[in-house]
Amino acid sequence: MTSPLLEVDNVTKRFGRVVIAEDLSFAVGSGEVVGIVGPNGAGKTSLFGLISGDLAPGAGEVRFAGRAVTKLDAAARCRLGIGRTYQVPRPFSDMTVFENLLVAAQQGGGLRRRASYAAAVGALERAGISAHANVPAERLGLLQRKRLELARALATQPTLLLLDEVAGGLTDPEVAQLIEIVRGVNADGIAVIWIEHVVRALTAVVSRLICLAGGTFVGDGEPAAVLAQPAVRAVFLGSEVTAALAGGSLGASGAPGRDEPAGAERSDP
């Protein structure tokens, strides 16, 4: 049996009395695409921090590619193959798009010379922003900043990509384009864990859905089955889950229809 690419084993994290992860355990296989949903404040972004090394767990262990990485910082985990995006893109605004990617390839991925340039070019092409290569990052609109954030993670050449609400604030056609990019990334063999409030974007791509609430998992499995669970419906207050199950309008790619806006940027501890 093939070993999982990522293993989170009984991980717990608290900030005083606030519990953001309570004895969490799950595994993700190579090439798997997993979606994570949950209400604001559920601990979704904090879970990414525990995986990527931005946060240290109070208890438990994180293993990646068969190696314990719990004590490694984010830079070391990135070099091992864990790439991530952030809800709010913060590129180096005075650098061009390509320069941002070169920094990611060299400093994040530990690549040098031709390898770093090749990784930067590949990320440009995969994210669909080659035409903006020489544009200063500060001049980019929301869609292109989102794509640059994704490209920066790809430039580190990850085997596991953590996407944190990359569809937030985008229009329906833009979400459809994003879905195709994520599908292409996964087709290259990269495992993806995607946190998203735009539920239809997830269900168009993922084969497995996890619902997180109050620092604990309340659902894990096939997307439609998870979304139908009473506990999952309860934490969503019936809104997003009901919309996802109702069948509303969908574009050919599985993106939200025009009667279901993608929504605005949100923050999630």
Side-chain angles (χ1 to χ4, degrees), residues 167 169-176 262:
L170 302 183
T171 65
D172 295 343
E174 290 169 347
V175 172

Side-chain angles (χ1 to χ4, degrees), residues 78-101:
C78 185
R79 285 183 171 83
L80 289 177
I82 300 177
R84 72 164 294 182
T85 69
Y86 292 84
Q87 290 180 26
V88 179
R90 292 188 179 91
F92 297 108
S93 59
D94 57 344
M95 291 184 178
T96 67
V97 167
F98 186 78
E99 288 169 342
N100 268 272
L101 299 184

Side-chain angles (χ1 to χ4, degrees), residues 146-234:
K146 291 273 189 176
R147 290 192 178 194
L148 174 56
E149 182 71 4
L150 173 57
R152 290 205 300 171
L154 291 175
T156 67
Q157 298 199 323
T159 51
L160 172 65
L161 178 63
L162 309 178
L163 299 178
D164 196 349
E165 296 195 33
V166 290
L170 302 183
T171 65
D172 295 343
E174 290 169 347
V175 172
Q177 294 172 25
L178 178 65
I179 287 171
E180 292 308 313
I181 291 172
V182 175
R183 284 174 171 160
V185 167
N186 181 245
D188 288 341
I190 299 172
V192 178
I193 307 178
W194 187 358
I195 293 171
E196 193 55 72
H197 280 282
V198 184
V199 178
R200 289 189 184 279
L202 287 183
T203 57
V205 178
V206 306
S207 56
R208 173 185 170 197
L209 194 66
I210 296 173
C211 184
L212 182 66
T216 62
F217 294 139
V218 295
D220 184 351
E222 191 274 327
V226 169
L227 292 173
Q229 292 177 14
V232 173
R233 285 175 171 269

